[in-house]
Amino acid sequence: DTVRPIVEDVAARGDAAVVEYTRKFDRCEQAETVVAVADLPDPDLPEETTRAFDVAYANIRSFHEAQQHEGISVETMPGVVCRRVSRPIGAVGLYVPGGTAVLPSTALMLAVPAAVAGCPTVVLATPPRPDGSISPEVVYCARKAGVTHVLKAGGAQAVAAMAYGTASCPKVDKILGPGNQYVTAAKMLLQNSEAMVSIDMPAGPSEVLVIADAGAPPAHVAADLLSQAEHGPDSQVVLVALQGLDLAAVEAEVRRQTEALPRGSIVVKALEHSYTVVVETKEEACEFSNMYAPEHLIVNVEDAESWLPDLDNAGSIFLGRWTPESVGDYASGTNHVLPTYGYARMYSGVSLDSFQKKMTVQSLSEEGLKGLGPHVERMASCEGLDAAQECCDSPPLLAELMAPPRSPGGNREHHPTINSLQPEGEERERGAGNCSAIAQNCI
């Protein structure tokens, strides 16, 4: 009820609606909603900040470049070759949250694989600051990763602008990125609309599940829990405690660290709907984790690698004593745009594949068609699809159709086989002749 009217208004009024909602929700007056990244000034950032972003960029690019492959080619039977090839999605929209926290890391997580995939149009949407500017950290990451346009808007209105396109915002084919419940609702709504847009996954408020045993340092357990709790009041954190874990020490660390955090008030709200589950065995811990299907799964136990075969549902897994959640959120190289709400049961996190389409290709030789054709004819006959059957039913007729012209001059207009395919009279006058001309060109 909240999101649908916004989406419909943006679809109807375009930029004007986006400007109004930006004024209402972000308290920002701006004359333009979309800017070309090339026109943005170089951000002035401390060297240590740009160095950190550069390291993250390199690791993210390295991990996603490793996901490239040339496709597959299989000769399924003599003369029948089947292939699968990849192509970049033409235009993608990247949503980078900027409400309670500015997330330039998300700009890298989305824009780097888009660049590796070769997407020609990359629109990054993020809420503007009160003066209408964009966070310089986000600008730095956008420029470095090859974003083409920045849409200075957030929330459902930004998602709708990218989905439908406006006078200033290019229409995109797919929208990716995390957001609050309104952003997620807009994505889910639009993927089933006349906007003709797809989405990556339902990626809503942050969540983490930490499995910890007796050897897990309470300070580390608390830090991993709070790393997601501070994202927003609607975040959820869950502790799965094995026997021997000092829960009192963990709770004390949570209180101590929360009091020291600038976003402590947000953490407190998130902790109000978070909880601890006490289990006795590894099997119970894995069973609960697989049922919950967390966005982030921390496995802070002895011999953590041995747990991996029993873990089936998670957006991203962090194994061992020395793998805090924050490394994956920022700079290890894996992607931090992950499914939430339990959708890790059936969705994967963002990867190179998220920015590509897969096409299958088949090509047959004469030998291949002779060998496969009779089986296709029989299957088409079983289904009562006679036209499909005819495609393979008369190879001599096909050979005649594709043969070079026998008359001098190569005029196919009088080829008997082609003329038999052409409509006559009024139907031909209404444009069927154009189809004939196209067919002749193809032949």
Side-chain angles (χ1 to χ4, degrees):
D1 291 341
T2 301
V3 169
R4 188 182 298 274
I6 296 174
V7 168
E8 292 175 349
D9 193 21
V10 172
R13 297 195 297 125
D15 287 331
V18 175
V19 168
E20 287 184 16
Y21 289 116
T22 301
R23 181 189 307 120
K24 177 179 179 180
F25 296 123
D26 297 311
R27 298 180 178 84
C28 171
E29 291 281 356
Q30 55 183 359
E32 58 181 1
T33 58
V34 176
V35 293
V37 172
D39 295 336
L40 292 170
D42 289 329
D44 183 16
L45 296 173
E47 183 180 350
E48 58 268 26
T49 299
T50 59
R51 189 183 310 118
F53 286 138
D54 291 348
V55 169
Y57 170 89
N59 289 349
I60 295 166
R61 188 171 187 98
S62 177
F63 185 69
H64 288 80
E65 282 181 340
Q67 298 169 32
Q68 291 177 312
H69 55 81
E70 295 181 357
I72 58 173
S73 179
V74 178
E75 188 172 26
T76 56
M77 62 186 294
V80 179
V81 177
C82 297
R83 288 176 284 165
R84 190 168 187 251
V85 298
S86 300
R87 296 290 185 270
I89 296 175
V92 294
L94 317 179
Y95 189 86
V96 176
T100 61
V102 178
L103 300 178
S105 58
T106 301
L108 288 176
M109 294 291 176
L110 294 170
V112 170
V116 173
C119 300
T121 300
V122 181
V123 181
L124 185 152
T126 193
R129 299 189 293 188
D131 65 356
S133 65
I134 299 298
S135 157
E137 292 84 1
V138 170
V139 172
Y140 181 85
C141 293
R143 289 174 67 97
K144 187 171 185 67
V147 170
T148 58
H149 302 77
V150 171
L151 168 61
K152 299 191 290 182
Q157 62 271 22
V159 177
M162 292 189 291
Y164 286 106
T166 70
S168 65
C169 181
K171 185 205 175 332
V172 303
D173 302 308
K174 187 172 185 177
I175 298 174
L176 307 95
N180 59 22
Q181 62 266 39
Y182 301 107
V183 170
T184 302
K187 288 169 63 179
M188 299 284 280
L189 179 66
L190 284 159
Q191 74 169 340
N192 295 310
S193 74
E194 69 278 6
M196 288 292 291
V197 69
S198 69
I199 67 170
D200 49 356
M201 72 195 86
S206 297
E207 59 193 30
V208 65
L209 187 149
V210 178
I211 300 175
D213 65 6
H220 294 179
V221 174
D224 276 329
L225 292 168
L226 298 180
S227 69
Q228 292 305 299
E230 71 174 351
H231 276 233
D234 50 0
S235 298
Q236 184 174 65
V237 302
V238 177
L239 172 61
V240 176
L242 288 155
Q243 286 186 324
L245 178 65
D246 190 341
L247 285 175
V250 172
E251 291 174 1
E253 275 294 330
V254 168
R255 287 193 297 270
R256 184 188 68 81
Q257 293 183 31
T258 298
E259 292 172 357
L261 291 172
R263 297 169 63 84
S265 61
I266 293 176
V267 169
V268 169
K269 292 179 180 179
L271 292 177
E272 289 175 357
H273 47 85
S274 300
Y275 55 89
T276 297
V277 176
V278 178
V279 298
E280 295 186 359
T281 66
K282 169 185 176 182
E283 290 71 26
E284 289 177 349
C286 291
E287 181 181 4
F288 179 82
S289 177
N290 287 332
M291 178 189 69
Y292 186 89
E295 177 189 20
H296 304 91
L297 172 58
I298 314 297
V299 186
N300 194 339
V301 301
E302 190 68 26
D303 191 20
E305 190 68 36
S306 69
W307 285 56
L308 188 56
D310 297 315
L311 298 171
D312 299 325
N313 301 326
S316 191
I317 300 176
F318 302 76
L319 289 177
R321 306 288 194 207
W322 300 100
T323 316
E325 187 277 335
S326 54
V327 298
D329 253 4
Y330 290 102
S332 68
T334 61
N335 208 291
H336 80 198
V337 181
L338 306 166
T340 61
Y341 295 132
Y343 281 104
R345 295 188 191 94
M346 70 288 291
Y347 282 91
S348 304
V350 162
S351 67
L352 183 64
D353 282 349
S354 304
F355 296 87
Q356 295 178 326
K357 305 161 292 184
K358 308 295 182 181
M359 300 190 300
T360 54
V361 181
Q362 47 266 299
S363 55
L364 277 66
S365 65
E366 181 179 357
E367 175 192 13
L369 183 56
K370 287 179 178 178
L372 183 59
H375 305 295
V376 174
E377 292 173 33
R378 183 57 185 166
M379 293 177 69
S381 175
C382 290
E383 296 183 352
L385 299 175
D386 294 340
Q389 183 180 358
E390 288 295 326
C391 286
C392 297
D393 195 27
S394 302
L397 177 62
L398 293 177
E400 174 71 13
L401 176 63
M402 300 305 295
R406 296 171 185 169
S407 59
N411 186 352
R412 289 298 186 95
E413 183 67 26
H414 303 291
H415 193 289
T417 307
I418 293 178
N419 282 337
S420 68
L421 298 177
Q422 293 177 350
E424 297 181 356
E426 184 178 351
E427 282 298 319
R428 180 167 182 173
E429 291 300 321
R430 286 205 299 260
N434 292 335
C435 296
S436 172
I438 294 170
Q440 291 176 45
N441 290 334
C442 292
I443 292 169

